[in-house]
């Protein structure tokens, strides 16, 4: 399927891509070098979680479950 089935599919993909970019930007900012300790570690974990949620949302958006 090359097109979008509805307008919310595009919104889900854009939101997922934004979450991935935010997560990558958070990790690329090297919070462990500037903050250090537990706070830097929590920011890294948050960045990884944002990437995971973004990828999951993109996958879930493009997966067509069909009629129930």
């Amino acid at each position: 399927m090359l097109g979008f089935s509805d307008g919310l599919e595009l919104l889900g993909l854009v939101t997922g891509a934004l979450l991935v970019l935010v997560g990558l930007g958070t990790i690329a900012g090297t919070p462990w070098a500037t903050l250090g300790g537990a706070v830097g570690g929590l920011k890294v974990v948050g960045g990884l979680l944002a990437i995971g949620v973004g990828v999951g949302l993109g996958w879930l958006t493009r997966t067509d479950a069909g009629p129930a």
Side-chain angles (χ1 to χ4, degrees):
M1 184 167 91
L2 295 175
F4 298 112
S5 59
D6 61 7
L8 291 179
E9 187 173 358
L10 179 61
L11 179 65
L13 286 175
V14 169
T15 304
L18 180 66
L19 280 170
V20 169
L21 289 176
V22 166
L24 288 174
T26 300
I27 293 173
T30 61
W32 58 88
T34 56
L35 298 174
V39 177
L42 284 175
K43 284 192 85 165
V44 170
V45 169
L48 291 174
L49 286 174
I51 293 171
V53 169
V55 168
L57 180 62
W59 175 78
L60 187 63
T61 300
R62 289 302 287 175
T63 302
D64 186 21

